[in-house]
Amino acid sequence: MEPWGISGPQFVWLYIVGLLAVLVVSFWVRRRFWSVPPPPPQAPVSIEELAFLTGGMNRVVDATIARLVECGVLRVQRDGTLQHTGTSVRNALDSEIVQVVRRHPQTAPQIRRALRQHSIAEDIRRRLGDRGLLHRENFGQKLVIQLPVMVLGAIGTARLVNGLEANRPVGLLTGLLFITLLFFLFRWKMPQRFISTKSGKQFVDRVRQAGPSQAHRLLPVAALTGAAGLVVVGGLEAFPDDEIATALGPSAPINTVSSSSSCGSSSSCSSSSSCSSSSSCSSGSSCGGGSSCGG
């Protein structure tokens, strides 16, 4: 006399098993869409593009902050706040960072939060997507990935309606359907993010293995010179001045390369982490001259 010949508790257990199976299948199907690696990029990858591959928009902002500090556009205080020195800039992202700092001295994490949705992020994503280094699913792929979830949800909804008509307890099933809905919404929203393709991940790994000073000789990537190049690969903790690196704080938790004792491809370092050649750094101050400060 049970609806569908299955008791309520039995159906709940079957639904839980089905939900777990749907989780596995949806993730497997999504990975299959990315299984074919696209061709490697032909034109050089810019520092901003490589920074985005390495750590998203946060790393782009970190690399830009490092370059502005090195160029003397920003000054780092001992408490980690950044101040504008009055030096002009030409790059759009540079200008945004300077405007944020002008309104009120900000730390690197605060600037990252303020510029997380900057328009330059979408432009970088588009260029990397065209190169085959980032991937985003189209509408058809989303439907295929979500099809098992929709089928399971439809079965559960039908059972819920049947249970309500038969005056059976449906509390557990309602909760499971709510979880299914949350998973559906999460999976539908998740593909909106750009994810590194297989080629993108291999590209970043090869850059890290080569190091900032040699990457441009082995790969189609712009020269990773100065503080910005070090930060792209190693995060803010790789800034060539130890005191400045400590004041700025670490970047987002990513596998980093410690480079605090080197100052880039064309600079030499002393024990106090000061840059020679065309720029000099003192603890707590910024470097000038050795990097391009404009756009």
Side-chain angles (χ1 to χ4, degrees), residues 12-279:
V12 167
W13 279 111
L14 289 174
Y15 192 92
I16 293 174
V17 173
L19 183 59
L20 294 177
V22 162
L23 297 180
V24 174
V25 170
S26 63
F27 277 105
W28 180 82
V29 171
R30 191 166 188 252
R31 292 182 66 87
R32 291 294 298 173
F33 282 130
W34 305 345
S35 61
V36 180
Q42 300 300 320
V45 177
S46 68
I47 289 182
E48 289 78 13
E49 291 171 344
L50 181 58
F52 195 94
L53 280 175
T54 305
M57 189 58 188
N58 285 339
R59 187 58 60 88
V60 176
V61 173
D62 288 348
T64 304
I65 290 174
R67 177 168 51 79
L68 294 178
V69 171
E70 187 178 40
C71 292
V73 177
L74 298 178
R75 181 184 298 110
V76 184
Q77 303 300 313
R78 293 186 180 277
D79 61 357
T81 57
L82 294 159
Q83 293 181 338
H84 183 221
T85 62
T87 305
S88 60
V89 295
R90 295 172 298 181
N91 183 286
L93 183 58
D94 295 356
S95 299
E96 289 285 349
I97 292 177
V98 168
Q99 290 178 11
V100 170
V101 171
R102 275 178 176 173
R103 288 193 292 267
H104 189 274
Q106 302 282 326
T107 63
Q110 290 172 327
I111 295 176
R112 287 198 295 265
R113 287 193 294 269
L115 300 181
R116 187 171 298 164
Q117 303 298 328
H118 193 274
S119 59
I120 192 177
E122 187 62 31
D123 183 52
I124 294 175
R125 289 168 180 159
R126 178 184 53 79
R127 298 200 304 265
L128 289 173
D130 293 340
R131 293 174 178 268
L133 298 176
L134 288 182
H135 179 86
R136 184 170 65 177
E137 289 134 353
N138 57 39
F139 183 78
Q141 289 175 328
K142 293 178 186 178
L143 287 179
V144 172
I145 293 171
Q146 294 284 52
L147 184 59
V149 183
M150 292 187 289
V151 171
L152 181 68
I155 295 174
T157 302
R159 178 73 181 201
L160 177 66
V161 172
N162 185 275
L164 291 174
E165 292 176 348
N167 293 321
R168 298 296 181 88
V170 293
L172 286 177
L173 181 57
T174 302
L176 289 173
L177 285 172
F178 180 72
I179 294 174
T180 305
L181 177 62
L182 291 180
F183 177 74
F184 176 85
L185 295 176
F186 170 76
R187 295 294 293 147
W188 191 266
K189 183 69 174 178
M190 186 178 178
Q192 296 296 328
R193 302 181 300 171
F194 279 80
I195 308 297
S196 293
T197 61
K198 184 177 180 180
S199 287
K201 293 177 181 178
Q202 291 177 347
F203 186 79
V204 172
D205 290 341
R206 292 172 63 196
V207 169
R208 286 175 172 155
Q209 292 173 4
S213 63
Q214 301 296 325
H216 68 286
R217 298 181 181 180
L218 304 177
L219 302 164
V221 63
L224 301 177
T225 58
L230 295 175
V231 170
V232 165
V233 177
L236 285 175
E237 49 266 59
F239 193 92
D241 186 291
D242 290 339
E243 291 195 30
I244 293 179
T246 301
L248 289 173
S251 294
I254 299 176
N255 293 331
T256 57
V257 178
S258 178
S259 305
S260 60
S261 61
S262 66
C263 294
S265 61
S266 62
S267 302
S268 61
C269 301
S270 65
S271 59
S272 60
S273 296
S274 62
C275 307
S276 60
S277 184
S278 60
S279 63

